[in-house]
Amino acid sequence: MEFYDVAIIGLGPAGSILARFLDSRYRVIAIDKKCGEEGGFQKPCGGLISSEAQKVLASFDLPLPKELLVDPQIFAVKTIDLKSRLIQHYQRCYINLDRHKFDLWLESLIPSGVEIHSHAVCKQIKRDKSGFAVTYSENGDIDTIHAKYLVGADGANSLVRRTFFPNKKIRQYLAIQQWFTETHQNPFYSCIFDPETTDCCAWSISKDRQFIYGGAFPAKHAKERFERQKQKLEKIGFRFGKPLKTEACLVLRPFAPWEFCCGEDNVFLIGEAAGFVSPSSLEGISSALVSAKGLSSVLNSGSGNLNRRYWVGTMGLRMKLFLKMLKCPFMYRPFLRRLVMKSGLQSIKMK
C-alpha cells in the first residue's frame, strides 16, 4: 500500500505548476490522462496565451521555447456581432502556440522526485483513516494509493469537486471546436457574438495553415447551434470546408463569487476545477497558474489551517474574476454591446 503526502489529479497548467513548486520534502503523486504519444488525450483549446498569463509566466522566470509557437502571431481580434452585423478590431497581445505541446512542456519542468502517472484515469476517490484513497487505471491495470492531501486540478468536469462538493454547481457550456485547412487570404483571430445560438461567445484562430472555429454553447442542442452559427458565418465570408477533426469538452463560466470552490478538510481545488475562469473571455490559464503557485506556497509553509490560508490567498484572484463578471453585461447584453462597438472606443481602424 503506497502512501503519499500530496495526490494531484490532473496535470494541465495548474497541476504541473503546483507539482513544480511543491517542496521536495513532500512525497507527491500526479495522475493525468494526457501523454506524449500519438492518439493520447489532448485538451481541446484554441491555444492562445493571454497577456495576463504571459505576465505570470514571466514572474516564474519561464520563457517559452520557440518549439511551442505556431504561425501566425496576430495582434488584433476581429469582433463580430452577428445580429447587428457590426464588426470592430481590437488590439490583443496573445501568443499563438500549440496547446498540447505547452502542457507537455510544463509537465517536463516537474522535478524528478514527483511520481507522474501519465495516460492514467482517476476512477474513484474517498476518504479513509489515512486521508484519501485514490483509485486509478493505467495501461489496463487498477491501483489504489493513499494521500494526506488531495488536489483537484482536473478541469471543468472535476471528479474531485463532484465527489466532495456536489452542491457547488458552476454554470457549464459545451465547447465544440473544429479544425479546417486554412483557405482565407489573410489569417485572423475573431470573437463572435450571436445571441440566437448562445449567450456565450465563439471564436476562430488561424494556426499553422489550419483554421480553428469553436464556440461555447448551452448543452441542449449544442451541435445544432454550432452548425447554425457556422452557416451564418459563411454568409459573411468565413470559409470552412470539410472538418479535419472535431473536438468538444465542458467549460465553466462562473456567474457569481460564491460559485468558486477552493476546497476544505485537506481537499484543494485549483484552476478550472475551482471555477477560476474568466466569465467574459473563458480564459483560464492565467488563473490556473496563479492558484497553483498560491497553493504551493500554502502547502510548503505547512502551518495553520491550510484550507483557510488558501482561501484567503486567492482573495485577489477571486476579486479579479468578480470584476470580470461586472464587465460581462457590456460584452453579452446586445444593446450595451452595440453601444460599445458603435462608439469605436479602443478599436483599431483597419487600412
Side-chain angles (χ1 to χ4, degrees):
M1 190 176 295
E2 294 286 338
F3 291 89
Y4 298 83
D5 296 303
V6 183
I8 303 172
I9 312 303
L11 279 180
S16 290
I17 288 297
L18 175 63
R20 172 177 168 79
F21 285 108
L22 280 176
D23 197 292
S24 59
R25 75 177 186 273
Y26 285 123
R27 189 180 185 201
V28 181
I29 184 172
I31 299 169
D32 186 58
K33 57 185 176 180
K34 178 174 64 272
C35 71
E37 300 174 4
E38 188 71 27
F41 172 79
Q42 298 188 24
K43 168 78 172 179
C45 176
L48 296 177
I49 301 296
S50 69
S51 57
E52 293 176 334
Q54 294 169 40
K55 184 177 180 180
V56 180
L57 290 171
S59 73
F60 296 167
D61 195 20
L62 288 178
L64 291 175
K66 66 178 181 179
E67 292 78 14
L68 306 185
L69 305 182
V70 299
D71 289 329
Q73 300 297 325
I74 304 174
F75 306 110
V77 173
K78 183 178 183 178
T79 302
I80 303 169
D81 186 320
L82 278 175
K83 186 173 182 179
S84 65
R85 294 297 181 97
L86 285 171
I87 298 177
Q88 290 283 18
H89 293 78
Y90 299 93
Q91 182 181 5
R92 292 293 182 270
C93 297
Y94 296 123
I95 294 176
N96 195 5
L97 51 66
D98 185 311
R99 173 58 195 271
H100 186 55
K101 288 182 179 179
F102 175 71
D103 284 353
L104 293 176
W105 170 68
L106 287 178
E107 186 177 318
S108 74
L109 303 177
I110 297 173
S112 58
V114 175
E115 185 177 321
I116 298 176
H117 291 260
S118 299
H119 219 295
V121 178
C122 189
K123 294 292 188 181
Q124 185 184 61
I125 311 168
K126 57 183 179 181
R127 290 188 184 273
D128 65 7
K129 60 183 180 181
S130 64
F132 303 93
V134 180
T135 301
Y136 65 95
S137 65
E138 184 178 22
N139 299 320
D141 297 325
I142 303 292
D143 200 1
T144 298
I145 60 93
H146 300 265
K148 180 179 180 181
Y149 300 116
L150 177 68
V151 180
D154 46 346
N157 198 32
S158 170
L159 175 63
V160 178
R161 191 183 71 244
R162 286 186 284 118
T163 299
F164 295 101
F165 311 103
N167 295 324
K168 278 288 184 179
K169 305 292 185 182
I170 305 175
R171 184 171 46 169
Q172 291 184 339
Y173 292 79
L174 183 65
I176 305 174
Q177 188 167 266
Q178 286 184 332
W179 295 61
F180 307 87
T181 300
E182 176 64 279
T183 58
H184 298 92
Q185 183 175 358
N186 293 316
F188 64 96
Y189 302 156
S190 72
C191 179
I192 303 147
F193 297 98
D194 179 25
E196 190 271 324
T197 54
T198 179
D199 62 346
C200 197
C201 63
W203 55 86
S204 74
I205 305 162
S206 297
K207 192 183 294 283
D208 271 354
R209 296 181 295 279
Q210 293 184 324
F211 182 69
I212 303 172
Y213 160 69
F217 300 89
K220 188 175 182 180
H221 306 306
K223 179 64 174 176
E224 291 84 348
R225 294 169 182 264
F226 175 81
E227 293 295 339
R228 196 157 67 244
Q229 191 177 101
K230 276 175 62 179
Q231 293 172 6
K232 294 182 180 183
L233 291 171
E234 285 179 317
K235 293 179 180 178
I236 61 170
F238 277 58
R239 300 176 181 175
F240 296 109
K242 183 178 180 180
L244 301 174
K245 66 176 178 179
T246 301
E247 50 196 10
C249 68
L250 287 177
V251 293
L252 300 182
R253 188 181 175 209
F255 176 74
W258 54 81
E259 291 185 338
F260 300 130
C261 181
C262 292
E264 61 183 27
D265 296 333
N266 292 340
V267 180
F268 303 88
L269 297 174
I270 56 178
E272 194 171 11
F276 295 151
V277 181
S278 168
S280 56
S281 66
L282 304 183
E283 190 274 333
I285 292 178
S286 62
S287 297
L289 302 176
V290 169
S291 60
K293 184 61 172 65
L295 179 58
S296 72
S297 298
V298 168
L299 291 176
N300 288 343
S301 72
S303 60
N305 184 325
L306 300 184
N307 283 100
R308 176 64 182 171
R309 289 189 58 198
Y310 175 55
W311 170 260
V312 173
T314 59
M315 183 72 71
L317 174 59
R318 288 182 281 116
M319 179 58 67
K320 185 176 183 178
L321 293 173
F322 172 65
L323 292 177
K324 290 182 181 289
M325 293 175 189
L326 299 181
K327 174 185 175 182
C328 279
F330 295 94
M331 293 179 62
Y332 290 98
R333 291 185 182 175
F335 175 72
L336 292 177
R337 181 172 61 246
R338 284 196 295 271
L339 286 180
V340 172
M341 293 183 70
K342 284 182 177 180
S343 74
L345 185 66
Q346 295 187 331
S347 65
I348 299 172
K349 291 185 177 180
M350 305 301 287
K351 299 180 181 179

